[in-house]
Amino acid sequence: MIVKQKQITIRSPDDCHVHLRDGYILKRVLPYTSKVNSRAIVMPNLIPPITSIKTAIAYRKRILAALPTKHNFIPLMTCYLTDSIDPNEIEHGYREGIFIAAKFYPVHSTTNSSFGVTKITRIQKVLERMQKIGMPILVHGEITEPHIDIFDREARFIEIILEPLRKQLPGLKVVMEHITTKEAAQYVASGNKLLGATITPQHLMFNRNHMLVNKLNPHLYCLPILKRNIHQNALHKLIASGHCRVFLGTDTAPHLRFFKEASYGCAGVFNSPSALPAYATIFEEINSLEYFERFCSENGAKFYNLPLNKTTITLVRKPWKVPNGIYNNTLIPFLAGKVLNWRIKSNV
Ligand code: DOR
Ligand code: ZN
């Protein structure tokens, strides 16, 4: 990594957690991911979800067909775990290189999770097989029982589901996706080499006050929900420690504006247009730019046993205003209308 006063050049990043959607939305949002990242791990929560080799191959084809011709980008596919998923399908897909991992959504935990797992014991055979073949499970780490407060969902998940699971299957490779709490930060920091975590730019940059105080900002509403500032600070501390298994996963999750600014607004922050400058801003603010490249471009690849990317990307220290809206304001990007200190060089 080369850090100068005015610019940073890093190896091209991998976004280890993206929602690219499908159909015409896919074509609109994909370029924001593929322009910046060499690879991305694509979440399977479509309707219907990606639960087979066949549907994953077809989705990958649609992604590649939607890619701008000049972008060199590899989508890495995941399989959506359901109560009835067949361990043989999972193993076959992993061995053939179709699936890089499988995603565990507790039922009703987030967008399009109604096909998710109703009880972890129902996928016991699948988990045993994943442990055997070394296939990572990517967890949406939230308990969904109605009596548990939404702000406690992540901490309780660790206690009730994750820790017992990792005790029972100590060889299972796990990524805690989009962590948001001090409990999750501590858990990953004290974990072994089989435990990794992703962090989004919104959970680093904001806490729940930013979403709820004065006026409600639906464009910061995502799941897991933003927490108190003590949790935000714990995430800062984790990335400032340069932890080698904590990596970039934006969780970019576009929803049409109409569905965000609504009586029952959808969860998800469309952050791919501004994510990398936003991460750079945070790393600089907490005096940790020395770990920026590892977080963006090395830790994830190493965790997934992927070769490091060979190309580079440069960020320039020059004020950049994030667009107010995209596609006739039908999509509102993270930090819309805000000015960041960093921009991607090709935007200069
Ligand atoms: O806020 C979220 N939106 N969290 C998720 O886990 C899923 C995502 C989506 O797909 O919209
Ligand atoms: Zn997600």
Side-chain angles (χ1 to χ4, degrees), residues 169-185:
L169 298 171
L172 186 64
K173 210 167 174 180
V174 177
V175 180
M176 298 168 74
E177 298 292 343
H178 39 56
I179 61 168
T180 63
T181 55
K182 67 176 175 21
E183 287 83 358

Side-chain angles (χ1 to χ4, degrees), residues 202-246:
Q202 62 269 20
H203 292 102
L204 288 171
M205 207 169 244
F206 297 116
N207 58 61
R208 64 191 192 182
N209 273 14
H210 296 105
M211 176 176 59
L212 298 172
V213 172
N214 293 332
K215 288 187 175 166
L216 175 69
N217 182 351
H219 298 288
L220 285 181
Y221 173 59
C222 62
L223 292 168
I225 201 158
L226 294 174
K227 306 294 191 302
R228 286 175 179 274
N229 67 346
I230 51 162
H231 297 290
Q232 185 193 2
N233 294 341
L235 299 180
H236 289 175
K237 214 171 122 196
L238 181 64
I239 59 168
S241 74
H243 193 288
C244 65
R245 287 183 307 280
V246 174

Side-chain angles (χ1 to χ4, degrees), residues 17 19 43 45 103 105 140 178 223 251 253:
H17 187 133
H19 298 269
M43 293 300 131
N45 60 334
K103 180 75 189 273
Y105 289 106
H140 181 108
H178 39 56
L223 292 168
D251 196 17

